[in-house]
Amino acid sequence: MIILRSIADTRAALDSWRRRGQTIALVPTMGYLHEGHMSLVDEAKKRADRVVVSIYVNPTQFGPNEDLDKYPRDFARDEACCRARGVDAIFYPDNAVMYCPDHSCWVTEESLSQTMCGAARPGHFRGVTTVVLKLFNITRCDVAIFGRKDAQQALIICRMVRDLNVPVEIVVAPLVREPDGLAMSSRNKYLSDDERRRALSIANGLNQATALFAGGQRQAAALCDLVKTGIANAGGNIDYVVVMDRDSLRPLATVDRPAVLAVAAFFGKTRLIDNVFLD
Amino acid sequence: MIILRSIADTRAALDSWRRRGQTIALVPTMGYLHEGHMSLVDEAKKRADRVVVSIYVNPTQFGPNEDLDKYPRDFARDEACCRARGVDAIFYPDNAVMYCPDHSCWVTEESLSQTMCGAARPGHFRGVTTVVLKLFNITRCDVAIFGRKDAQQALIICRMVRDLNVPVEIVVAPLVREPDGLAMSSRNKYLSDDERRRALSIANGLNQATALFAGGQRQAAALCDLVKTGIANAGGNIDYVVVMDRDSLRPLATVDRPAVLAVAAFFGKTRLIDNVFLD
């Protein structure tokens, strides 16, 4: 496994694979890898001859009052995880490699990004689409794997690829949970033991709502209320609990088409997101 | 020479060239081709094995009160010009091919695009960068050729390529003039005989300013005033006459570094642009 720190080295290494006719899958991450990321690596290995994991805590997707500085980082552990899982290369740039001092070009998505995490975190998705397009252009990957925990992000990336004709196939892989149901996230590290226990109310609420939906409930408000009550009872601070059309991310009053029930809530200072599909 | 109307056909044709190891140059145009465009084709032929000309009057770079509807179009003539000049393919999409009804992703440049034509034509450069990135992604060209008449556009495209790590080499080819000095432009067709004669004041003013600069004048105001006076005396309606730093497009009071003296002016309803470099 090779560690690539510069764009020139990355292009040279990946071009040499391409010249041998090998296809390349990219797994973009911010590091502090967990089993959710590793499931993306497994998916990548099925889809291409070579797997590149990018590890970059992208500053442009963090707001001024967010957790950029304290976002967890452990490159040695990430490197070991990738090596053990059969990753071919890690692209591990620093900020000077990724952004010129007079950087002035951005990719913006102006519809799907207006709601949910986009409404709560202004500029977040502009940072995401910009850095992801940069990573696609640097690696010229054939396929890229994203996790469904960030459902809105995955939808926005798919929209970017469609609208800008980006020649990359996007695969959205299933959400991976801890044994007790908590959606895996690098930010779970922030949780105290008590917060960790109470945060389970998110996954439990989504489970109960899924059961209610399976039982025939089609009113979005009833499904959301169930989730909200559980989180509130556990002392969580709700950012949003919404039922959205799964293509347009427009709110649904009645679940009469493929939908996503999505949550963002704080436990302590930690913002967690989770979602289930309603079919 | 092949005419490509769909993205799938374009990708298939260009992939077959790539598989044979051939490189591809793109000349993006809005059609109604003139000798300025053809000089870009000549440059493209020097730079790559295959030359693709795109012909697309991109609606998203026109403002609501601009000349989208009456922009001159003559595909039969364009096709003959390209065939005669040895172009390999024309990519000639319609709007439905280029933009989905719910298109929502854009490429924006937020520094260089704030002045000159960007100030006069809000949204213009967002349309340009977006469509150019789409054309790059559709063709996956190795190199793309732009004309220096649109000096600000060329600079913004170079910035986009840098900031988004677009794997395309940008070549900016010299401005081509009519025998009497008028910068070639598809929009020259709009000019009446009288306007055409009076519009020469732009190129004449730039020539005089170049001579003044060569004679030692370094004050931007003096250079601009000379150009402004000539255009005003010819009955032109000036949008801007500016001297800008050639890298940052920031205005210069004193020409103490590579600069561009750039003009936009109306003759009748026709907006013309032109520029000279000051070295």
Side-chain angles (χ1 to χ4, degrees):
Chain A
M1 189 181 74
I2 51 177
I3 313 292
L4 301 161
R5 302 299 316 262
S6 77
I7 291 171
D9 286 352
T10 304
R11 289 203 162 133
L14 277 53
D15 279 345
S16 81
W17 294 340
R18 254 185 295 274
R19 274 194 301 272
R20 287 182 245 163
Q22 296 174 337
T23 56
I24 295 167
L26 175 69
V27 179
T29 83
M30 298 208 300
Y32 212 74
L33 303 176
H34 52 65
E35 194 53 31
H37 298 108
M38 291 300 117
S39 75
L40 307 183
V41 169
D42 294 344
E43 187 64 38
K45 286 170 72 81
K46 288 185 217 158
R47 304 269 179 169
D49 303 312
R50 295 285 192 170
V51 174
V52 179
V53 171
S54 64
I55 296 182
Y56 179 57
V57 182
N58 173 38
T60 68
Q61 71 192 67
F62 287 80
N65 298 314
E66 292 183 358
D67 57 342
L68 172 60
D69 291 335
K70 68 171 185 137
Y71 195 85
R73 294 163 168 88
D74 187 344
F75 184 72
R77 207 189 61 147
D78 290 345
E79 184 181 349
C81 288
C82 287
R83 196 181 298 275
R85 207 71 163 227
V87 169
D88 296 283
I90 298 178
F91 177 52
Y92 180 48
D94 62 21
N95 288 337
V97 164
M98 291 299 279
Y99 292 101
C100 291
D102 58 349
H103 181 97
S104 63
C105 288
W106 302 94
V107 180
T108 59
E109 196 288 325
E110 298 189 350
S111 173
L112 306 170
S113 65
Q114 300 306 297
T115 183
M116 296 166 59
C117 290
R121 305 180 66 189
H124 169 65
F125 284 117
R126 183 183 85 147
V128 170
T129 47
T130 300
V131 82
V132 167
L133 187 68
K134 286 168 66 68
L135 291 169
F136 287 177
N137 282 335
I138 290 167
T139 62
R140 301 181 68 182
C141 55
D142 299 281
V143 55
I145 324 289
F146 292 83
R148 216 205 66 198
K149 191 194 51 127
D150 301 286
Q152 186 178 18
Q153 170 180 279
L155 209 57
I156 289 170
I157 298 295
C158 289
R159 177 64 66 92
M160 174 182 80
V161 162
R162 185 198 75 173
D163 281 358
L164 301 182
N165 307 101
V166 182
V168 175
E169 181 193 355
I170 304 301
V171 174
V172 182
L175 197 157
V176 177
R177 298 182 181 280
E178 302 287 354
D180 62 3
L182 186 71
M184 286 198 184
S185 166
S186 304
R187 290 189 169 98
N188 292 349
K189 174 191 160 67
Y190 298 147
L191 298 167
S192 69
D193 289 349
D194 178 55
E195 288 165 351
R196 171 77 181 69
R197 269 188 299 275
R198 294 190 286 115
L200 262 185
S201 59
I202 299 176
N204 289 342
L206 291 175
N207 267 337
Q208 290 160 15
T210 302
L212 195 62
F213 176 76
Q217 179 57 265
R218 293 293 177 270
Q219 295 310 303
L223 299 167
C224 291
D225 284 347
L226 184 61
V227 178
K228 285 178 185 171
T229 303
I231 295 172
N233 286 345
N237 191 357
I238 292 168
D239 181 352
Y240 62 75
V241 177
V242 290
V243 174
M244 299 296 207
D245 177 306
R246 216 153 73 209
D247 294 319
S248 68
L249 288 190
R250 294 215 180 89
L252 291 179
T254 305
V255 188
D256 54 2
R257 68 198 78 181
V260 57
L261 169 52
V263 176
F266 286 86
F267 282 85
K269 291 180 174 173
T270 305
R271 187 174 182 275
L272 301 174
I273 60 173
D274 198 345
N275 69 84
V276 290
F277 281 3
L278 304 174
D279 288 293
Chain B
M1 189 180 75
I2 51 179
I3 313 293
L4 301 161
R5 302 301 314 266
S6 77
I7 290 170
D9 286 352
T10 303
R11 289 202 161 134
L14 275 55
D15 279 346
S16 80
W17 294 339
R18 256 186 293 273
R19 275 195 299 273
R20 287 183 245 163
Q22 296 174 337
T23 56
I24 294 167
L26 174 68
V27 180
T29 82
M30 298 209 299
Y32 211 73
L33 304 176
H34 51 66
E35 194 53 30
H37 298 109
M38 291 299 117
S39 75
L40 306 184
V41 168
D42 294 345
E43 188 64 37
K45 288 170 71 82
K46 287 184 217 159
R47 304 270 180 168
D49 302 312
R50 295 286 192 169
V51 174
V52 178
V53 172
S54 64
I55 296 183
Y56 180 56
V57 182
N58 173 37
T60 68
Q61 71 192 68
F62 287 79
N65 298 313
E66 292 183 358
D67 58 342
L68 172 62
D69 291 335
K70 68 174 185 134
Y71 195 86
R73 293 162 168 90
D74 186 344
F75 184 73
R77 207 190 60 148
D78 290 346
E79 184 181 349
C81 287
C82 287
R83 197 181 297 276
R85 208 71 162 227
V87 168
D88 294 284
I90 298 178
F91 177 52
Y92 180 48
D94 61 22
N95 288 338
V97 164
M98 292 298 280
Y99 292 101
C100 291
D102 58 348
H103 181 98
S104 63
C105 289
W106 302 93
V107 180
T108 58
E109 197 289 325
E110 298 189 349
S111 172
L112 306 169
S113 65
Q114 300 305 299
T115 182
M116 297 166 60
C117 290
R121 305 180 65 189
H124 169 65
F125 284 117
R126 183 183 86 147
V128 169
T129 46
T130 300
V131 82
V132 167
L133 188 68
K134 285 168 67 66
L135 292 169
F136 288 177
N137 282 335
I138 291 166
T139 62
R140 302 181 69 183
C141 55
D142 300 280
V143 55
I145 323 289
F146 292 84
R148 215 205 67 199
K149 190 195 52 129
D150 301 286
Q152 186 178 17
Q153 169 179 281
L155 209 57
I156 289 170
I157 297 295
C158 289
R159 176 64 67 92
M160 172 181 82
V161 163
R162 185 199 73 174
D163 281 357
L164 301 181
N165 308 101
V166 181
V168 175
E169 179 194 356
I170 304 299
V171 173
V172 182
L175 197 157
V176 178
R177 298 181 180 281
E178 302 286 355
D180 63 3
L182 185 72
M184 286 197 185
S185 166
S186 304
R187 289 191 169 97
N188 291 349
K189 173 191 160 67
Y190 297 147
L191 298 168
S192 69
D193 289 349
D194 178 55
E195 287 165 351
R196 171 76 179 69
R197 266 188 300 275
R198 293 190 287 114
L200 263 185
S201 59
I202 299 175
N204 289 343
L206 291 175
N207 266 339
Q208 290 160 16
T210 303
L212 195 62
F213 176 76
Q217 178 58 263
R218 292 293 176 270
Q219 295 310 304
L223 300 168
C224 291
D225 285 347
L226 183 62
V227 178
K228 286 177 183 170
T229 303
I231 294 172
N233 287 345
N237 190 356
I238 293 168
D239 180 353
Y240 62 75
V241 177
V242 290
V243 173
M244 300 297 208
D245 177 304
R246 217 153 71 207
D247 293 319
S248 68
L249 289 189
R250 294 216 181 88
L252 291 179
T254 306
V255 188
D256 55 2
R257 66 198 78 183
V260 56
L261 169 53
V263 177
F266 286 87
F267 283 85
K269 291 180 174 173
T270 304
R271 187 174 182 276
L272 301 174
I273 61 173
D274 199 345
N275 69 83
V276 290
F277 281 3
L278 303 174
D279 286 294

